[in-house]
Amino acid sequence: MAGMDARTEELLGLDEIRRRIAALCQSPQGSARAGERPVATRANEVASRHLLTAEAIELRRLGMAVAAGATDVQTALDNASRGGTLELASVVAVAATAEVAAELAESVAHHAIAAPQLAARAQAIVVPALRRLCEEVASAHDGHGGLRDSASADLGRARRQLADARAG
């Protein structure tokens, strides 16, 4: 899609508009994406964005809470997808973000009549899988920054061997 020329963007003050929108975002990632989003130049794309925005405004008017607690976990997910190991704090952040995504998807689905386009997008979120992830992390995490012995058979065995070696 061809974008708007720089002179037109300047005359419209789009840099300032992008800065203001970015300042309203809840996360640094959201701010960066808002600041980089190209201007819609086709009527159908403008209409689609307007409809999504109107639906989001309606959800807020109906009292739907803002999704809070999500963090940018993209680096952790990229690392894990390449077989890397995640620090416990990253695992907890992924689970917290998954919980927010599940709650958001359920809430938007509940308001499907008021926000059909957003509800259609929310259907792509696999809520049961996110809930299972959250449960698994919660059952493995001891709540004090560590993992329970039951988090994995290997971890439990290694901790028992270490305890036996220290005792003997």
Side-chain angles (χ1 to χ4, degrees):
M1 174 176 72
M4 191 176 289
D5 67 84
R7 177 75 178 132
T8 303
E9 285 196 19
E10 181 184 338
L11 289 171
L12 292 173
L14 290 183
D15 284 341
E16 179 62 22
I17 292 169
R18 285 185 180 112
R19 274 194 292 279
R20 288 181 183 201
I21 292 171
L24 296 172
C25 295
Q26 294 182 5
S27 71
Q29 181 185 23
S31 294
R33 291 178 69 190
E36 296 167 356
R37 183 139 178 126
V39 174
T41 57
R42 294 188 179 156
N44 64 339
E45 185 179 1
V46 171
S48 175
R49 288 184 186 183
H50 178 73
L51 179 61
L52 291 171
T53 302
E55 287 184 8
I57 291 168
E58 178 63 8
L59 291 177
R60 290 298 301 272
R61 190 191 69 73
L62 292 171
M64 189 172 138
V66 174
T71 57
D72 181 2
V73 294
Q74 190 61 55
T75 301
L77 294 176
D78 290 345
N79 185 30
S81 72
R82 290 189 304 271
T85 304
L86 300 183
E87 296 290 327
L88 182 59
S90 293
V91 172
V92 171
V94 168
T97 300
E99 181 66 28
V100 169
E103 288 175 6
L104 183 63
E106 290 173 338
S107 187
V108 170
H110 179 72
H111 293 91
I113 292 173
Q117 298 301 315
L118 289 173
R121 288 179 178 220
Q123 284 180 341
I125 299 172
V126 185
V127 173
L130 294 177
R131 296 280 186 217
R132 280 192 304 277
L133 170 68
C134 295
E135 290 167 8
E136 288 180 22
V137 170
S139 69
H141 183 245
D142 68 8
H144 303 288
L147 292 174
R148 293 188 172 112
D149 288 352
S150 60
S152 79
D154 290 341
L155 177 61
R157 187 172 29 261
R159 286 184 174 169
R160 282 190 300 280
Q161 289 173 350
L162 180 60
D164 290 346
R166 286 181 176 159

